[in-house]
Amino acid sequence: MLGIPLKYNVRNLFVRKVTTSLTVAGIALVVMVFLCVMALGEGLTRVFTASGSDRNVLVLRQNSQSELQSGITRDQVPLVETLPGVEKDADGKPLASAELVVVLNLEKREGGSSNVTIRGVEEKGWKLRPGIRLTEGRMFSPGASEVIVSDGVSRRFKDTNVGEELHFGAYRWKVVGHFDAGGTAPDSEIWTDVEGMINTFKRNGYSSVLARTPDRAARDLFVAGLSSDPRLALEGKVERTYYDEQTATAAPIKFLGLFVGVVMAIGACFGAMNTMYAAVSSRTREIATLRALGFSRLSILASFILESVFLSLLGGLLGCVLGVLAVKLALSGVTGTTNFATFSEVVFAFRLTPALLLTGVVFSLAMGFFGGLFPAGRAAFTKITQALRQVG
Amino acid sequence: MKLLPLVFKNLFRKKTRSLLTIGSILLPLFVICILGTMLRALDSDPSNGKGMYRLIVRHKVSITNWLPAAYDPKIRQLPGVVEVLRMNWFGGSYVDQSARNQFARFSTSDADRFLKVFDEATVVEGSEKEWVDDRSGLLVGRLLMKKYGWKLGQKVTLKGDIYPVTLELTIRAVFEAPDETGVYFHHEAIEEALPRVKGFVGWYWIKTASLEATERIPAQLDAMFENSSFPTKTETEKEFQNGWVSMLGNVKLLVTSICTIIVFVILLIAANTMAMAARERVTEIAVLRTLGFRKRQILGLVLGESLLLSLFGGVLGVALYALLFPGFREAVANSPMGGFAAGMKLFPEILAVAFAVTVFVGLVAGLAPAVRSAQRSITDGLRQVG
């Protein structure tokens, strides 16, 4: 089979400048909207998938879905930390941190307010999360009502610069430092000393215990040991699994992206179909000539589908460029939403991955293929004699 | 007006093209209607104004911190307070954690005052007295009764997470209200199983006597507890709801931007169609002009066709939306965002916006081809081939 050169189609597209550019722009906008919304969902998902370690076990009260709902009494902590499987540090002390989480309602810089997690940690809490580093100021000193705030939270909430003070009636905390956790869950948190926090909030215990295990076998042993102790009524969850389970937070955003993307793609596909029908009908004589020259129906069909696919590919690529520009320029800062599993803010950034861009391109190719199918079919079944007789 | 039949004829000369264009206007408009409804529902007031007389008092740090139950008499004695209701979030789960089984579960220390504070709710099955008198009684929203096929007197088991208890409660009354997606029971049911939680509640609802009281009480009440171990924050129901919306992040900006871009997409598609139609009719329009048609009439002819095309798509899109709305609302009500459905209506202003978008698209898309067609000289038009 002899193929019609692609150049034929490309040149034709450039002859009809107005129609081509209107169609390309339409497809590009659809791809851009799809990419931006999906980048939002991807950024949010990434916080959860990047958080937590496979070797850390988060100990919660049975049936608790999150640390906020959980409670562990003071006398339970030594029992948990001495269970077999917990790693020991150089001094022979268990590598585990009993922590308390409370939710603070803070005012956002952009107006409105949202809940932010404040986490009381033991000193060992740092060793359990090696990705965290101070970016400004210093560490809080125990018992002094001092806090350190993540960069992400300080960018979004008032009164969180180093030297400022967070206060709620009689509750006061001085911000002494900022930290960065490399895009993981602590990037949405404020940290302080756990004992000071228990005093401030007049709690009689902790929310959770985070324990490190040396390997998988030890981890499973520790988790099994926890659940088989009926006195404790606690359960252990691998830290990574705990965060993975919260990715559902991003589901509504991804659903929105897909819904808007698919419906709009069908709309844009109709637009492409229109353009292709016009292309076919204005070239009826040309097509008949090609057929008379010996090109097969299949070549004509393929040629017009290719033309349509090429048209929407232009749109798809332009959409990707617009999407990248939008995410890099307009949406480059951090944003946030509430994770209803922990009832507090997750700070995250838009994230446009190569996989997403590829999805955008595939999306545009599909629009081109379906948009070109019927017009190409009409072109392929042009009656040669009738078409050649046609005037104009 | 005499031109109207000609406009119609022109519109359906290329049936495939017109249908495709109508389709590509219809679908985006459908999306705009849905997004617009969600946006509008964020601002809606399901209580129909009754919320103006309600305040909510929570711990200043956040609503997840408890307040002492003993604030009750102190709040009650403030002038302008009609009734006080202590409430608590139970959370927990019903059957399992799946999205289908998510609904709000509250406990209250003052069941007898519940309907006095939420006076837009009425008991439609069972009776208020039976619920108030039964310490393990459950008050259920009508929508949930229907969703789970529950019957009056049936036992419902709720498993706690914040409170490590399993409660077996008996449905004693069903209420009808704008938001019917919650269940309410006595806080004593939790306290009996967990004596340590005695003395604390989640938050207070206040029913005020007047708008003056609604405005005055928050500052007065917060000042009263400012330096206690449990400082408070008092807000109107509306402010409280806005707080939730604000927690979602900048949803409004996101949705508005999406809608704006969608309008542009429709505009491009419609403009393309009109440009193609006008190009094919150059000769024909020149003939019309020689027959005595004025420039103004040609302008009207093309613009009218564009407007009509857009209106077909727009009206069908809005109609499709109106047709599917009850199903859409029910789907939202059954999702984890069920509480949101209460504020969703077939808002007339959203339909009006959709209509305005349609007219805008029709006029703007047709403008360039219409002006060009009208301005082209007759001789030029006649000379053109194809």
Side-chain angles (χ1 to χ4, degrees):
Chain A
M1 187 189 92
L2 195 59
I4 300 171
L6 191 61
K7 213 196 221 172
Y8 167 75
N9 305 103
V10 176
R11 283 196 175 162
N12 265 310
L13 282 178
F14 288 110
V15 166
R16 294 170 287 124
K17 277 192 216 76
V18 177
T19 297
T20 302
S21 44
L22 287 174
T23 315
V24 165
I27 291 172
L29 285 181
V30 172
V31 170
M32 184 190 95
V33 169
F34 171 75
L35 286 180
C36 288
V37 180
M38 292 311 267
L40 186 72
E42 189 67 28
L44 185 53
T45 305
R46 148 93 194 175
V47 174
F48 301 114
T49 52
S51 295
S53 150
D54 273 331
R55 285 170 59 200
N56 287 350
V57 175
L58 185 66
V59 182
L60 301 172
R61 189 171 56 210
Q62 261 169 20
N63 297 323
S64 302
Q65 300 301 311
S66 75
E67 291 179 272
L68 192 64
Q69 300 163 348
S70 168
I72 294 183
T73 56
R74 246 170 218 289
D75 49 329
Q76 283 177 323
V77 174
L79 297 176
V80 170
E81 292 182 343
T82 51
L83 279 176
V86 180
E87 195 171 323
K88 305 275 194 293
D89 64 9
D91 304 332
K93 286 185 185 154
L95 262 176
S97 167
E99 303 183 346
L100 174 65
V101 299
V102 169
V103 160
L104 304 178
N105 194 263
L106 298 183
E107 276 181 51
K108 291 193 225 177
R109 292 191 192 270
E110 63 182 32
S113 65
S114 194
N115 291 333
V116 177
T117 295
I118 176 166
R119 177 183 298 274
V121 294
E122 289 186 60
E123 225 170 296
K124 284 172 286 183
W126 282 91
K127 292 189 194 156
L128 294 168
R129 301 173 178 93
I132 302 188
R133 58 185 181 87
L134 272 181
T135 53
E136 200 188 335
R138 59 172 174 85
M139 208 25 213
F140 55 80
S141 21
S145 282
E146 292 177 344
V147 294
I148 53 171
V149 179
S150 74
D151 286 334
V153 169
S154 78
R155 245 173 279 160
R156 288 187 49 78
F157 293 90
K158 286 183 186 162
D159 303 327
T160 55
N161 291 328
V162 174
E164 286 179 326
E165 193 178 53
L166 287 169
H167 58 93
F168 298 87
Y171 300 69
R172 275 162 207 282
W173 294 280
K174 195 168 159 54
V175 180
V176 296
H178 281 173
F179 67 91
D180 178 82
T184 60
D187 271 335
S188 309
E189 296 178 345
I190 296 173
W191 279 20
T192 185
D193 159 49
V194 66
E195 296 305 328
M197 202 168 136
I198 287 178
N199 270 331
T200 313
F201 289 104
K202 307 198 171 36
R203 296 294 171 102
N204 44 18
Y206 306 91
S207 303
S208 60
V209 174
L210 186 68
R212 161 140 300 205
T213 56
D215 52 48
R216 184 175 287 251
R219 183 187 84 192
D220 296 344
L221 183 72
F222 175 61
V223 172
L226 267 175
S227 58
S228 63
D229 195 332
R231 290 171 305 163
L232 290 175
L234 299 177
E235 59 185 326
K237 222 171 221 176
V238 177
E239 199 191 10
R240 166 145 300 163
T241 318
Y242 173 76
Y243 286 110
D244 276 348
E245 283 170 2
Q246 295 175 16
T247 45
T249 310
I253 296 178
K254 290 196 165 170
F255 177 77
L256 174 73
L258 274 181
F259 171 73
V260 172
V262 168
V263 178
M264 292 302 296
I266 298 175
C269 184
F270 286 169
M273 223 185 265
N274 254 339
T275 305
M276 288 312 295
Y277 268 126
V280 170
S281 69
S282 68
R283 271 145 57 192
T284 310
R285 270 162 62 99
E286 234 171 86
I287 295 163
T289 314
L290 285 170
R291 292 270 290 121
L293 286 175
F295 286 100
S296 69
R297 289 213 161 109
L298 206 58
S299 325
I300 305 271
L301 188 77
S303 171
F304 276 90
I305 289 181
L306 270 178
E307 184 169 326
S308 170
V309 167
F310 184 73
L311 176 75
S312 47
L313 182 65
L314 284 179
L317 293 177
L318 183 63
C320 285
V321 172
L322 289 178
V324 170
L325 286 179
V327 169
K328 285 267 182 286
L329 301 178
L331 312 167
S332 58
V334 286
T335 181
T337 186
T338 289
N339 173 3
F340 282 97
T342 58
F343 207 65
S344 54
E345 178 103 344
V346 207
V347 178
F348 64 100
F350 278 75
R351 206 175 127 81
L352 202 50
T353 59
L356 265 186
L357 289 176
L358 191 68
T359 318
V361 172
V362 171
F363 218 49
S364 70
L365 291 181
M367 282 185 242
F369 179 77
F370 290 108
L373 199 57
F374 294 104
R378 182 183 285 180
F381 288 94
T382 305
K383 292 221 162 45
I384 306 179
T385 44
Q386 260 181 29
L388 284 176
R389 207 175 293 135
Q390 199 174 3
V391 181
Chain B
M1 274 302 107
K2 272 187 293 184
L3 289 178
L4 205 59
L6 185 57
V7 171
F8 260 99
K9 275 254 184 309
N10 273 339
L11 185 58
F12 289 105
R13 195 135 39 126
K14 295 250 174 180
K15 283 199 191 61
T16 328
R17 177 193 294 160
S18 302
L19 288 179
L20 286 173
T21 311
I22 288 172
S24 58
I25 294 174
L26 183 157
L27 291 172
L29 259 152
F30 178 69
V31 177
I32 288 184
C33 285
I34 285 192
L35 294 181
T37 303
M38 306 297 272
L39 209 57
R40 180 66 185 74
L42 290 176
D43 288 330
S44 72
D45 175 18
S47 74
N48 292 325
K50 300 236 179 188
M52 309 252 285
Y53 299 95
R54 266 197 298 269
L55 296 170
I56 181 164
V57 187
R58 62 158 169 90
H59 194 296
K60 191 161 186 174
V61 166
S62 80
I63 199 163
T64 62
N65 289 56
W66 294 343
L67 286 173
Y71 279 3
D72 181 52
K74 293 180 193 160
I75 297 175
R76 284 178 80 85
Q77 52 133 41
L78 286 174
V81 172
V82 174
E83 198 53 272
V84 175
L85 177 67
R86 288 169 290 185
M87 286 282 261
N88 197 69
W89 173 256
F90 176 72
S93 58
Y94 167 68
V95 183
D96 58 26
Q97 288 287 340
S98 67
R100 202 194 116 76
N101 292 322
Q102 305 288 341
F103 54 87
R105 308 165 189 104
F106 300 99
S107 65
T108 171
S109 313
D110 315 288
D112 53 326
R113 308 176 192 163
F114 183 85
L115 289 171
K116 296 194 181 100
V117 172
F118 292 99
D119 50 353
E120 67 266 40
T122 45
V123 168
V124 288
E125 252 185 89
S127 77
E128 182 191 359
K129 190 176 175 316
E130 278 174 69
W131 174 56
V132 172
D133 290 347
D134 181 357
R135 278 189 165 201
S136 60
L138 191 66
L139 173 70
V140 181
R142 199 178 46 173
L143 199 76
L144 283 182
M145 286 297 271
K146 213 175 95 190
K147 177 175 168 187
Y148 294 111
W150 288 338
K151 297 273 176 300
L152 213 59
Q154 185 174 338
K155 285 205 186 319
V156 173
T157 306
L158 301 179
K159 206 165 155 188
D161 41 31
I162 303 168
Y163 302 96
V165 287
T166 300
L167 300 175
E168 192 159 290
L169 304 162
T170 317
I171 299 176
R172 291 297 178 204
V174 178
F175 71 92
E176 182 191 64
D179 182 0
E180 301 172 335
T181 56
V183 302
Y184 300 84
F185 56 91
H186 297 245
H187 199 53
E188 284 96 322
I190 304 176
E191 290 173 341
E192 271 166 21
L194 289 172
R196 68 175 172 85
V197 306
K198 260 190 192 149
F200 289 98
V201 296
W203 62 90
Y204 287 80
W205 280 108
I206 299 175
K207 178 86 184 167
T208 62
S210 61
L211 289 178
E212 179 274 322
T214 306
E215 254 176 63
R216 171 179 44 84
I217 292 172
Q220 204 178 351
L221 199 152
D222 291 344
M224 213 156 86
F225 301 114
E226 174 75 33
N227 291 310
S228 73
S229 307
F230 298 92
T232 57
K233 169 138 181 172
T234 307
E235 293 171 303
T236 63
E237 185 176 275
K238 186 78 214 163
E239 285 163 346
F240 180 66
Q241 284 165 352
N242 288 346
W244 286 95
V245 174
S246 145
M247 277 173 62
L248 285 174
N250 217 335
V251 181
K252 284 184 189 171
L253 183 67
L254 174 75
V255 174
T256 318
S257 322
I258 295 179
C259 288
T260 317
I261 297 178
I262 292 178
V263 173
F264 270 101
V265 174
I266 318 178
L267 194 59
L268 289 170
I269 294 173
N272 189 18
T273 301
M274 285 319 295
M276 290 190 293
R279 206 174 314 129
E280 285 165 4
R281 294 188 205 138
V282 170
T283 322
E284 192 182 305
I285 286 170
V287 172
L288 286 179
R289 291 283 309 281
T290 42
L291 290 177
F293 277 76
R294 308 276 178 110
K295 280 187 179 174
R296 204 156 13 97
Q297 285 170 308
I298 300 293
L299 195 78
L301 207 59
V302 181
L303 219 48
E305 183 178 337
S306 170
L307 189 61
L308 206 61
L309 184 70
S310 178
L311 278 177
F312 261 109
V315 170
L316 284 175
V318 171
L320 180 72
Y321 167 70
L323 205 68
L324 296 180
F325 180 77
F328 170 55
R329 188 172 188 272
E330 201 169 311
V332 173
N334 285 329
S335 80
M337 305 191 302
F340 201 57
M344 277 171 44
K345 274 191 297 194
L346 211 54
F347 297 109
E349 57 269 43
I350 296 299
L351 303 187
V353 166
F355 186 74
V357 165
T358 310
V359 173
F360 169 78
V361 165
L363 291 179
V364 175
L367 197 61
V371 170
R372 210 174 312 126
S373 302
Q375 295 299 331
R376 189 177 276 114
S377 72
I378 301 178
T379 44
D380 254 11
L382 284 175
R383 204 177 294 133
Q384 193 144 347
V385 179

PDB file of all heavy atoms in Angstrom, chain B residues 198-217:
ATOM      1  N   LYS B 198     -16.544  12.263  81.663  1.00  0.00           N
ATOM      2  CA  LYS B 198     -17.549  13.100  82.329  1.00  0.00           C
ATOM      3  C   LYS B 198     -17.012  14.506  82.562  1.00  0.00           C
ATOM      4  O   LYS B 198     -15.852  14.694  82.895  1.00  0.00           O
ATOM      5  CB  LYS B 198     -17.939  12.481  83.668  1.00  0.00           C
ATOM      6  CG  LYS B 198     -19.242  11.723  83.574  1.00  0.00           C
ATOM      7  CD  LYS B 198     -19.774  11.314  84.921  1.00  0.00           C
ATOM      8  CE  LYS B 198     -20.900  10.320  84.694  1.00  0.00           C
ATOM      9  NZ  LYS B 198     -21.026   9.362  85.747  1.00  0.00           N
ATOM     10  N   GLY B 199     -17.884  15.470  82.418  1.00  0.00           N
ATOM     11  CA  GLY B 199     -17.473  16.829  82.742  1.00  0.00           C
ATOM     12  C   GLY B 199     -16.972  17.619  81.548  1.00  0.00           C
ATOM     13  O   GLY B 199     -16.684  18.804  81.659  1.00  0.00           O
ATOM     14  N   PHE B 200     -16.842  16.964  80.396  1.00  0.00           N
ATOM     15  CA  PHE B 200     -16.370  17.689  79.202  1.00  0.00           C
ATOM     16  C   PHE B 200     -17.348  17.532  78.041  1.00  0.00           C
ATOM     17  O   PHE B 200     -17.992  16.488  77.910  1.00  0.00           O
ATOM     18  CB  PHE B 200     -14.992  17.179  78.781  1.00  0.00           C
ATOM     19  CG  PHE B 200     -13.919  17.600  79.744  1.00  0.00           C
ATOM     20  CD1 PHE B 200     -13.487  16.725  80.731  1.00  0.00           C
ATOM     21  CD2 PHE B 200     -13.378  18.872  79.672  1.00  0.00           C
ATOM     22  CE1 PHE B 200     -12.511  17.126  81.638  1.00  0.00           C
ATOM     23  CE2 PHE B 200     -12.406  19.276  80.569  1.00  0.00           C
ATOM     24  CZ  PHE B 200     -11.975  18.395  81.561  1.00  0.00           C
ATOM     25  N   VAL B 201     -17.408  18.560  77.223  1.00  0.00           N
ATOM     26  CA  VAL B 201     -18.239  18.491  76.016  1.00  0.00           C
ATOM     27  C   VAL B 201     -17.452  19.075  74.853  1.00  0.00           C
ATOM     28  O   VAL B 201     -16.446  19.760  75.059  1.00  0.00           O
ATOM     29  CB  VAL B 201     -19.571  19.262  76.181  1.00  0.00           C
ATOM     30  CG1 VAL B 201     -20.425  18.630  77.261  1.00  0.00           C
ATOM     31  CG2 VAL B 201     -19.324  20.736  76.458  1.00  0.00           C
ATOM     32  N   GLY B 202     -17.934  18.824  73.634  1.00  0.00           N
ATOM     33  CA  GLY B 202     -17.225  19.299  72.445  1.00  0.00           C
ATOM     34  C   GLY B 202     -17.409  20.794  72.232  1.00  0.00           C
ATOM     35  O   GLY B 202     -16.459  21.541  72.099  1.00  0.00           O
ATOM     36  N   TRP B 203     -18.657  21.221  72.175  1.00  0.00           N
ATOM     37  CA  TRP B 203     -18.955  22.637  71.941  1.00  0.00           C
ATOM     38  C   TRP B 203     -20.368  22.946  72.413  1.00  0.00           C
ATOM     39  O   TRP B 203     -21.123  22.034  72.737  1.00  0.00           O
ATOM     40  CB  TRP B 203     -18.766  23.006  70.469  1.00  0.00           C
ATOM     41  CG  TRP B 203     -19.669  22.277  69.521  1.00  0.00           C
ATOM     42  CD1 TRP B 203     -20.910  22.682  69.106  1.00  0.00           C
ATOM     43  CD2 TRP B 203     -19.423  21.023  68.876  1.00  0.00           C
ATOM     44  NE1 TRP B 203     -21.436  21.746  68.246  1.00  0.00           N
ATOM     45  CE2 TRP B 203     -20.545  20.727  68.080  1.00  0.00           C
ATOM     46  CE3 TRP B 203     -18.357  20.125  68.891  1.00  0.00           C
ATOM     47  CZ2 TRP B 203     -20.652  19.555  67.318  1.00  0.00           C
ATOM     48  CZ3 TRP B 203     -18.464  18.957  68.131  1.00  0.00           C
ATOM     49  CH2 TRP B 203     -19.594  18.697  67.347  1.00  0.00           C
ATOM     50  N   TYR B 204     -20.673  24.228  72.444  1.00  0.00           N
ATOM     51  CA  TYR B 204     -22.007  24.677  72.862  1.00  0.00           C
ATOM     52  C   TYR B 204     -22.706  25.348  71.698  1.00  0.00           C
ATOM     53  O   TYR B 204     -22.087  26.137  70.976  1.00  0.00           O
ATOM     54  CB  TYR B 204     -21.896  25.726  73.972  1.00  0.00           C
ATOM     55  CG  TYR B 204     -21.482  25.198  75.324  1.00  0.00           C
ATOM     56  CD1 TYR B 204     -20.149  24.928  75.603  1.00  0.00           C
ATOM     57  CD2 TYR B 204     -22.426  24.996  76.320  1.00  0.00           C
ATOM     58  CE1 TYR B 204     -19.767  24.460  76.850  1.00  0.00           C
ATOM     59  CE2 TYR B 204     -22.055  24.523  77.574  1.00  0.00           C
ATOM     60  CZ  TYR B 204     -20.724  24.257  77.837  1.00  0.00           C
ATOM     61  OH  TYR B 204     -20.351  23.791  79.059  1.00  0.00           O
ATOM     62  N   TRP B 205     -23.984  25.066  71.545  1.00  0.00           N
ATOM     63  CA  TRP B 205     -24.830  25.847  70.640  1.00  0.00           C
ATOM     64  C   TRP B 205     -25.652  26.799  71.497  1.00  0.00           C
ATOM     65  O   TRP B 205     -26.111  26.409  72.573  1.00  0.00           O
ATOM     66  CB  TRP B 205     -25.793  24.958  69.857  1.00  0.00           C
ATOM     67  CG  TRP B 205     -25.201  24.253  68.672  1.00  0.00           C
ATOM     68  CD1 TRP B 205     -24.925  22.929  68.589  1.00  0.00           C
ATOM     69  CD2 TRP B 205     -24.861  24.814  67.412  1.00  0.00           C
ATOM     70  NE1 TRP B 205     -24.410  22.622  67.357  1.00  0.00           N
ATOM     71  CE2 TRP B 205     -24.356  23.774  66.612  1.00  0.00           C
ATOM     72  CE3 TRP B 205     -24.914  26.112  66.884  1.00  0.00           C
ATOM     73  CZ2 TRP B 205     -23.924  23.977  65.305  1.00  0.00           C
ATOM     74  CZ3 TRP B 205     -24.484  26.303  65.586  1.00  0.00           C
ATOM     75  CH2 TRP B 205     -23.998  25.251  64.819  1.00  0.00           C
ATOM     76  N   ILE B 206     -25.838  28.016  71.018  1.00  0.00           N
ATOM     77  CA  ILE B 206     -26.685  28.960  71.746  1.00  0.00           C
ATOM     78  C   ILE B 206     -27.771  29.437  70.801  1.00  0.00           C
ATOM     79  O   ILE B 206     -27.500  29.773  69.649  1.00  0.00           O
ATOM     80  CB  ILE B 206     -25.876  30.203  72.202  1.00  0.00           C
ATOM     81  CG1 ILE B 206     -24.753  29.784  73.145  1.00  0.00           C
ATOM     82  CG2 ILE B 206     -26.788  31.224  72.856  1.00  0.00           C
ATOM     83  CD1 ILE B 206     -23.849  30.948  73.529  1.00  0.00           C
ATOM     84  N   LYS B 207     -29.016  29.457  71.327  1.00  0.00           N
ATOM     85  CA  LYS B 207     -30.101  30.078  70.562  1.00  0.00           C
ATOM     86  C   LYS B 207     -30.297  31.464  71.145  1.00  0.00           C
ATOM     87  O   LYS B 207     -30.459  31.596  72.359  1.00  0.00           O
ATOM     88  CB  LYS B 207     -31.378  29.235  70.736  1.00  0.00           C
ATOM     89  CG  LYS B 207     -32.573  29.782  70.034  1.00  0.00           C
ATOM     90  CD  LYS B 207     -32.617  29.311  68.621  1.00  0.00           C
ATOM     91  CE  LYS B 207     -33.779  29.947  67.873  1.00  0.00           C
ATOM     92  NZ  LYS B 207     -33.645  29.736  66.443  1.00  0.00           N
ATOM     93  N   THR B 208     -30.230  32.490  70.299  1.00  0.00           N
ATOM     94  CA  THR B 208     -30.339  33.846  70.835  1.00  0.00           C
ATOM     95  C   THR B 208     -31.745  34.395  70.627  1.00  0.00           C
ATOM     96  O   THR B 208     -32.498  33.923  69.773  1.00  0.00           O
ATOM     97  CB  THR B 208     -29.348  34.804  70.144  1.00  0.00           C
ATOM     98  OG1 THR B 208     -29.672  34.857  68.754  1.00  0.00           O
ATOM     99  CG2 THR B 208     -27.925  34.335  70.312  1.00  0.00           C
ATOM    100  N   ALA B 209     -32.062  35.434  71.416  1.00  0.00           N
ATOM    101  CA  ALA B 209     -33.404  36.015  71.369  1.00  0.00           C
ATOM    102  C   ALA B 209     -33.539  36.993  70.218  1.00  0.00           C
ATOM    103  O   ALA B 209     -34.622  37.164  69.667  1.00  0.00           O
ATOM    104  CB  ALA B 209     -33.702  36.716  72.689  1.00  0.00           C
ATOM    105  N   SER B 210     -32.438  37.648  69.836  1.00  0.00           N
ATOM    106  CA  SER B 210     -32.548  38.704  68.827  1.00  0.00           C
ATOM    107  C   SER B 210     -31.239  38.834  68.067  1.00  0.00           C
ATOM    108  O   SER B 210     -30.215  38.285  68.473  1.00  0.00           O
ATOM    109  CB  SER B 210     -32.844  40.034  69.518  1.00  0.00           C
ATOM    110  OG  SER B 210     -31.766  40.337  70.384  1.00  0.00           O
ATOM    111  N   LEU B 211     -31.289  39.584  66.966  1.00  0.00           N
ATOM    112  CA  LEU B 211     -30.054  39.818  66.209  1.00  0.00           C
ATOM    113  C   LEU B 211     -29.078  40.642  67.035  1.00  0.00           C
ATOM    114  O   LEU B 211     -27.866  40.480  66.933  1.00  0.00           O
ATOM    115  CB  LEU B 211     -30.386  40.544  64.902  1.00  0.00           C
ATOM    116  CG  LEU B 211     -31.108  39.680  63.869  1.00  0.00           C
ATOM    117  CD1 LEU B 211     -31.427  40.493  62.628  1.00  0.00           C
ATOM    118  CD2 LEU B 211     -30.259  38.465  63.493  1.00  0.00           C
ATOM    119  N   GLU B 212     -29.620  41.506  67.859  1.00  0.00           N
ATOM    120  CA  GLU B 212     -28.762  42.314  68.746  1.00  0.00           C
ATOM    121  C   GLU B 212     -27.967  41.363  69.640  1.00  0.00           C
ATOM    122  O   GLU B 212     -26.755  41.520  69.814  1.00  0.00           O
ATOM    123  CB  GLU B 212     -29.651  43.275  69.553  1.00  0.00           C
ATOM    124  CG  GLU B 212     -28.917  44.156  70.542  1.00  0.00           C
ATOM    125  CD  GLU B 212     -28.711  43.478  71.897  1.00  0.00           C
ATOM    126  OE1 GLU B 212     -29.616  42.754  72.374  1.00  0.00           O
ATOM    127  OE2 GLU B 212     -27.614  43.651  72.451  1.00  0.00           O
ATOM    128  N   ALA B 213     -28.647  40.352  70.184  1.00  0.00           N
ATOM    129  CA  ALA B 213     -27.972  39.390  71.073  1.00  0.00           C
ATOM    130  C   ALA B 213     -26.927  38.594  70.291  1.00  0.00           C
ATOM    131  O   ALA B 213     -25.821  38.340  70.772  1.00  0.00           O
ATOM    132  CB  ALA B 213     -28.992  38.467  71.703  1.00  0.00           C
ATOM    133  N   THR B 214     -27.261  38.201  69.058  1.00  0.00           N
ATOM    134  CA  THR B 214     -26.323  37.442  68.221  1.00  0.00           C
ATOM    135  C   THR B 214     -25.037  38.234  68.025  1.00  0.00           C
ATOM    136  O   THR B 214     -23.947  37.684  68.027  1.00  0.00           O
ATOM    137  CB  THR B 214     -26.957  37.164  66.842  1.00  0.00           C
ATOM    138  OG1 THR B 214     -28.198  36.538  67.037  1.00  0.00           O
ATOM    139  CG2 THR B 214     -26.063  36.278  65.993  1.00  0.00           C
ATOM    140  N   GLU B 215     -25.183  39.554  67.880  1.00  0.00           N
ATOM    141  CA  GLU B 215     -24.020  40.390  67.646  1.00  0.00           C
ATOM    142  C   GLU B 215     -23.221  40.644  68.916  1.00  0.00           C
ATOM    143  O   GLU B 215     -22.002  40.708  68.891  1.00  0.00           O
ATOM    144  CB  GLU B 215     -24.484  41.738  67.076  1.00  0.00           C
ATOM    145  CG  GLU B 215     -24.191  41.889  65.608  1.00  0.00           C
ATOM    146  CD  GLU B 215     -24.739  43.182  65.085  1.00  0.00           C
ATOM    147  OE1 GLU B 215     -24.288  44.244  65.535  1.00  0.00           O
ATOM    148  OE2 GLU B 215     -25.670  43.122  64.245  1.00  0.00           O
ATOM    149  N   ARG B 216     -23.927  40.814  70.046  1.00  0.00           N
ATOM    150  CA  ARG B 216     -23.286  41.214  71.300  1.00  0.00           C
ATOM    151  C   ARG B 216     -22.621  40.047  72.018  1.00  0.00           C
ATOM    152  O   ARG B 216     -21.514  40.175  72.555  1.00  0.00           O
ATOM    153  CB  ARG B 216     -24.362  41.849  72.200  1.00  0.00           C
ATOM    154  CG  ARG B 216     -23.892  42.130  73.623  1.00  0.00           C
ATOM    155  CD  ARG B 216     -24.985  42.787  74.449  1.00  0.00           C
ATOM    156  NE  ARG B 216     -26.295  42.162  74.275  1.00  0.00           N
ATOM    157  CZ  ARG B 216     -26.707  41.084  74.944  1.00  0.00           C
ATOM    158  NH1 ARG B 216     -25.921  40.502  75.811  1.00  0.00           N
ATOM    159  NH2 ARG B 216     -27.908  40.585  74.727  1.00  0.00           N
ATOM    160  N   ILE B 217     -23.293  38.899  72.054  1.00  0.00           N
ATOM    161  CA  ILE B 217     -22.840  37.798  72.913  1.00  0.00           C
ATOM    162  C   ILE B 217     -21.414  37.293  72.629  1.00  0.00           C
ATOM    163  O   ILE B 217     -20.662  37.083  73.576  1.00  0.00           O
ATOM    164  CB  ILE B 217     -23.877  36.653  72.897  1.00  0.00           C
ATOM    165  CG1 ILE B 217     -25.141  37.127  73.589  1.00  0.00           C
ATOM    166  CG2 ILE B 217     -23.330  35.402  73.577  1.00  0.00           C
ATOM    167  CD1 ILE B 217     -26.317  36.176  73.488  1.00  0.00           C
TER     168      ILE B 217
END
